[in-house]
Amino acid sequence: MKIKNICCIGAGYVGGPTMAVIAHKCPDVKVTIVDLNKERIAAWNDKDVANIPVYEPGLSEIVASARGKNLFFSTDVEKAIDEAEMIFISVNTPTKTYGLGKGMAADLKNIELCARQIAAVAKTDKIVVEKSTLPVRTAEALRSILDNTGNGVKFQILSNPEFLAEGTAVTDLLDPDRVLIGGDTDTEGQEAIEALVQIYANWIPRERILTTNVWSSELSKLTANAFLAQRVSSINAISELCEKTGADVNEVARAIGMDSRIGPKFLKASVGFGGSCFQKDILNLVYIAKNYGLHEVADYWEQVIIMNDHQKRRFAANIVRTLYNTVSGKKIAFLGWAFKKDTNDTRESAAIYVADDLLKEQANIAVYDPKVEEGAVLYDLNYLHTRSAEDNRKGVKAYADPYEACHDAHAIAVLTEWDEFREYDWQRIYNNMKKPAFVFDGRNVLDAERMMKIGFVFCGVGKAY
Ligand code: UDX
Ligand code: ADP
């Protein structure tokens, strides 16, 4: 079966870039991305392609190449479902904030809504593809909704987890390590898998397209993220030990990374991992393990999160301790708010938690991030419900200029590894700060020696200075 029409529900960080690349690489396939959020769709359709709502290097060029030709953004969900032979579900599945599984299980409300809508609208057979990260056996729930409320049409359900990392989405999509497609083992299931393989085979070598059963595919996604996050927590655990013993975590990471069994990637000690996936997916894994009564398995993976929370908290505590145990009324400048460089996504960013701890100590926080505006910063803090929105507004201000953010500050905290931070006129920043001027580099991006030569009191992660 050759697919001519694809619909993707959810125009976010996953759906947007993934579908833009599919459209770019498959000019014969019409790709329509739909979303309930009107503003978001309007932004994707903005005449000036620089205003699309997701910032990723290279993305606006890809969107510009296909938009209006075979790539469309719309709020008409029903029409897009009706026309498509293949429907990707890329809606967000945040951790539940209420009821059973609160704080652990994935909230599948959006997924269920999509399934019900597909069931109600579909008049012809469809292949439904899970793109969002989902707990294992969600496909079963999807199938049950589709089969029991549909108009007698046949649905095939595939799992095709996304492995792109934000900030490198376009290159990850153009040249992925692998594409994973899970489907039923019967003939119809295998035909559906083949239809999706055909799409990716337009630009990805066959040997990198793996096919498995649905459950293996779903569990592989959770496992990949758990392993990656575990590496970060492992090196962060060692970073604290380095600070006490006189070792340097960067040297340790280099030394162990040269062992080909360990490998050099994902060993950067930091203020802690963020992003929409790692914590959510591990919590999911923990919740599933607990449900099966596998308490040791659950505890093992939960420790990765516990370590990450500790790393964020001790970074904030170190700032307070170093600034003579009080930051009350002091201006602390944050360089970076996004959870990593080259993205405007701030979900679960370490900056949010560090800011929250410093606000509890009555600090004034001045934020500069090249891609994040004040509205997003305040939204993130309000989402924690630690204090009123009014109090967050009083305690935090965002600046469009890094030099202004740092002006008269007692300390600077680097929370994101944006490249431009290295290029600043640090002498000028130093001259305009309160003395002694402190820098807490949560990402080890600045040249410590140069900073200390200028006069800064410098603290990085994983080394005692
Ligand atoms: C992750 C997975 O990498 C991706 O495959 C999956 O599809 C979604 O989740 P993402 O969350 O976009 O991607 O970013 P990633 O590059 O994995 O970084 C996650 C967090 O870990 C960031 O906050 C990053 O700064 C931090 N990190 C990463 C470190 O602190 N140290 C490292 O060595 C690597
Ligand atoms: P992700 O990182 O998983 O892509 P985002 O939050 O960036 O997450 O994107 C998910 C998108 O899915 C949001 O724009 C949201 O409005 C959209 N969405 C959620 N539920 C539905 C639904 N039932 N129908 C259409 N769009 C939806």
Side-chain angles (χ1 to χ4, degrees):
M1 173 177 164
K2 186 145 174 35
I3 304 295
K4 289 253 158 260
N5 257 296
I6 288 178
C7 157
C8 171
I9 310 181
Y13 284 91
V14 172
T18 311
M19 293 302 130
V21 168
I22 290 183
H24 177 71
K25 288 290 183 183
C26 311
D28 299 338
V29 179
K30 180 181 169 193
V31 180
T32 308
I33 312 183
V34 292
D35 203 297
L36 296 174
N37 184 332
K38 290 190 185 65
E39 292 83 44
R40 210 162 202 187
I41 290 298
W44 280 109
N45 281 323
D46 198 299
K47 261 203 219 84
D48 181 356
V49 83
N51 293 332
I52 57 175
V54 169
Y55 174 72
E56 281 289 341
L59 180 60
S60 53
E61 289 86 344
I62 299 259
V63 169
S65 78
R67 200 173 59 179
K69 291 185 192 128
N70 66 327
L71 175 66
F72 302 91
F73 297 89
S74 159
T75 50
D76 194 344
V77 182
E78 297 198 352
K79 179 164 177 275
I81 291 174
D82 180 38
E83 287 177 0
E85 299 109 33
M86 184 177 270
I87 301 161
F88 286 80
I89 303 186
S90 297
V91 299
N92 44 335
T93 52
T95 305
K96 269 186 91 172
T97 52
Y98 54 87
L100 212 65
K102 176 180 171 181
M104 296 216 104
D107 192 340
L108 299 180
K109 190 170 63 182
N110 294 339
I111 297 280
E112 184 171 338
L113 248 158
C114 291
R116 289 190 186 280
Q117 202 158 16
I118 295 170
V121 171
K123 296 193 280 291
T124 52
D125 294 356
K126 311 273 182 207
I127 298 172
V128 176
V129 186
E130 301 176 351
K131 198 64 175 150
S132 321
T133 313
L134 297 167
V136 187
R137 304 200 84 89
T138 301
E140 210 158 60
L142 264 179
R143 190 186 319 277
S144 145
I145 295 168
L146 289 170
D147 287 349
N148 288 306
T149 50
N151 311 325
V153 300
K154 281 206 187 117
F155 295 103
Q156 277 301 322
I157 294 159
L158 300 179
S159 158
N160 172 218
E162 191 49 75
F163 293 110
L164 69 82
E166 292 176 40
T168 51
V170 172
T171 46
D172 291 347
L173 286 162
L174 290 175
D175 186 24
D177 287 346
R178 75 335 202 157
V179 167
L180 180 58
I181 303 173
D184 281 352
T185 44
D186 59 11
T187 316
E188 286 91 347
Q190 293 302 305
E191 278 171 11
I193 289 181
E194 187 50 31
L196 185 52
V197 168
Q198 293 286 343
I199 300 274
Y200 286 113
N202 279 303
W203 77 99
I204 295 162
R206 280 282 181 139
E207 63 275 15
R208 278 198 246 156
I209 306 177
L210 296 184
T211 61
T212 64
N213 74 38
V214 177
W215 321 127
S216 300
S217 171
E218 288 183 338
L219 187 57
S220 298
K221 168 71 185 196
L222 293 183
T223 308
N225 278 343
F227 269 60
L228 290 169
Q230 183 193 44
R231 278 177 76 94
V232 179
S233 274
S234 296
I235 199 70
N236 281 345
I238 299 302
S239 77
E240 190 171 11
L241 197 55
C242 288
E243 289 166 25
K244 297 281 180 233
T245 55
D248 175 344
V249 78
N250 289 328
E251 292 179 351
V252 174
R254 183 145 185 268
I256 64 163
M258 283 173 77
D259 184 326
S260 61
R261 293 165 303 175
I262 297 174
K265 292 181 183 166
F266 256 72
L267 287 177
K268 238 182 133 21
S270 70
V271 52
F273 62 73
S276 67
C277 283
F278 281 1
Q279 172 157 319
K280 182 191 77 176
D281 289 355
I282 293 177
L283 286 174
N284 236 313
L285 200 60
V286 169
Y287 184 70
I288 294 166
K290 277 191 180 153
N291 264 342
Y292 285 106
L294 308 178
H295 299 291
E296 290 78 6
V297 177
D299 291 348
Y300 178 76
W301 288 106
E302 192 165 17
Q303 194 60 35
V304 174
I305 306 269
I306 293 171
M307 186 62 225
N308 196 49
D309 286 338
H310 171 65
Q311 190 77 349
K312 294 182 275 190
R313 211 166 308 119
R314 81 181 183 87
F315 184 80
N318 187 29
I319 296 180
V320 177
R321 200 175 43 249
T322 311
L323 296 186
Y324 319 107
N325 280 322
T326 174
V327 290
S328 177
K330 290 181 182 169
K331 181 179 181 184
I332 316 268
F334 273 35
L335 291 183
W337 189 266
F339 82 97
K340 65 188 280 197
K341 75 172 179 179
D342 291 341
T343 178
N344 58 344
D345 192 353
T346 64
R347 284 176 289 180
E348 290 300 327
S349 179
I352 305 168
Y353 297 91
V354 175
D356 189 51
D357 279 1
L358 294 178
L359 286 170
K360 285 181 193 150
E361 297 284 338
Q362 303 177 344
N364 294 323
I365 295 175
V367 179
Y368 168 77
D369 185 293
K371 292 288 173 194
V372 181
E373 287 174 0
E374 187 165 275
V377 171
L378 290 173
Y379 177 91
D380 291 337
L381 284 167
N382 293 340
Y383 195 77
L384 297 179
H385 296 294
T386 313
R387 64 191 70 71
S388 70
E390 175 66 20
D391 285 343
N392 281 328
R393 217 176 17 249
K394 278 188 198 146
V396 183
K397 190 170 157 40
Y399 292 77
D401 175 58
Y403 295 93
E404 254 180 67
C406 298
H407 194 93
D408 274 344
H410 288 259
I412 294 172
V414 180
L415 276 312
T416 313
E417 69 280 21
W418 286 101
D419 291 331
E420 64 172 62
F421 297 163
R422 293 200 193 89
E423 313 305 323
Y424 288 173
D425 181 349
W426 282 99
Q427 184 67 56
R428 178 178 154 205
I429 291 177
Y430 176 80
N431 293 345
N432 291 320
M433 281 176 70
K434 299 266 193 241
K435 305 297 176 328
F438 296 87
V439 171
F440 298 89
D441 187 353
R443 294 284 177 175
N444 290 340
V445 283
L446 300 175
D447 181 341
E449 268 179 35
R450 182 180 149 218
M451 301 299 284
M452 288 189 283
K453 217 179 265 168
I454 291 173
F456 285 105
V457 181
F458 188 85
C459 297
V461 173
K463 183 180 171 184
Y465 288 91

